[in-house]
């Protein structure tokens, strides 16, 4: 009887672990180049798995400060999420690298803005890729100018 109970407990524990495991792996690949015509310090976009969650990911948009106290600050920040990579020239000489299917406003900040979340535990996501790019609007108080900067592209690929 003791063996049956311990087998049942083991099955419950292993069963709950199995259902909590993520049915896929997420890989991140940077592509393309960031562009910052006004400051030469383009934002950098990175992604990684979040070890604290089973299907968790962390996306980090890192906006660099181009100079000490030069009167240049970040006015707006967005994350473009798309279902395909694109290569669309922008009027400022930069390139849009992700289709703008979803555009998320982020709080404007120097340094890292980290988005952290759990992907759905859906095996039908396997084989799909999602593409991202950060867009920053910088304002200079000295030259009274506004510049648009973009990060590198980031592919998030779902694999078995």
């Amino acid at each position: 009887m003791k063996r049956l109970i311990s087998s049942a407990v083991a099955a419950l524990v292993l069963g709950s672990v199995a259902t909590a495991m993520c049915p896929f792996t997420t890989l991140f690949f940077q592509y393309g180049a960031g562009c910052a015509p006004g400051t030469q310090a383009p934002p950098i976009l990175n992604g990684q798995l979040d070890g604290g969650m089973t299907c968790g990911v962390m996306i980090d948009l890192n906006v660099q400060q181009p100079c000490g106290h030069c009167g240049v600050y970040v006015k707006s920040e967005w994350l473009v999420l798309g279902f395909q990579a694109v290569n669309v020239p922008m009027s400022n000489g930069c390139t849009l690298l992700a289709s703008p299917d979803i555009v998320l406003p982020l709080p404007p900040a120097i340094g890292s803005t980290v988005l952290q979340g759990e992907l759905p535990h859906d095996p039908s996501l396997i084989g799909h890729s999602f593409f991202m790019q950060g867009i920053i609007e910088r304002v200079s108080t000295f030259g009274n100018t506004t510049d648009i900067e973009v990060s590198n592209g980031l592919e998030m690929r779902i694999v078995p």
Side-chain angles (χ1 to χ4, degrees):
M1 183 68 170
K2 220 178 203 184
R3 184 177 229 170
L4 179 60
I5 292 172
S6 60
S7 294
V9 170
L12 280 173
V13 169
L14 291 176
S16 64
V17 169
T19 58
M21 291 182 67
C22 191
F24 52 78
T25 299
T26 306
L27 303 174
F28 292 93
F29 302 95
Q30 291 182 333
Y31 66 95
C35 174
T39 64
Q40 301 305 313
I44 301 166
L45 188 60
N46 288 301
Q48 66 183 34
L49 294 176
D50 180 359
M53 294 190 254
T54 57
C55 284
V57 296
M58 289 176 29
I59 308 299
D60 178 12
L61 180 58
N62 192 307
V63 177
Q64 303 174 57
Q65 178 64 0
C67 47
H69 298 285
C70 61
V72 176
Y73 67 95
V74 177
K75 180 179 179 186
S76 305
E77 198 170 315
W78 302 275
L79 182 66
V80 174
L81 301 166
F83 299 111
Q84 60 185 338
V86 297
N87 190 3
V88 178
M90 299 169 64
S91 61
N92 64 347
C94 296
T95 303
L96 182 65
L97 298 170
S99 61
D101 298 309
I102 300 169
V103 179
L104 299 173
L106 302 174
I110 297 295
S112 288
T113 299
V114 176
L115 298 172
Q116 188 174 0
E118 180 87 8
L119 297 175
H121 291 229
D122 186 351
S124 69
L125 291 173
I126 295 172
H128 292 278
S129 286
F130 302 93
F131 302 89
M132 299 169 238
Q133 185 174 28
I135 299 179
I136 308 301
E137 179 183 21
R138 284 199 202 252
V139 175
S140 169
T141 56
F142 294 125
N144 228 6
T145 60
T146 299
D147 292 306
I148 301 296
E149 302 175 357
V150 297
S151 73
N152 55 287
L154 183 67
E155 177 186 1
M156 183 175 71
R157 188 179 303 166
I158 311 295
V159 297

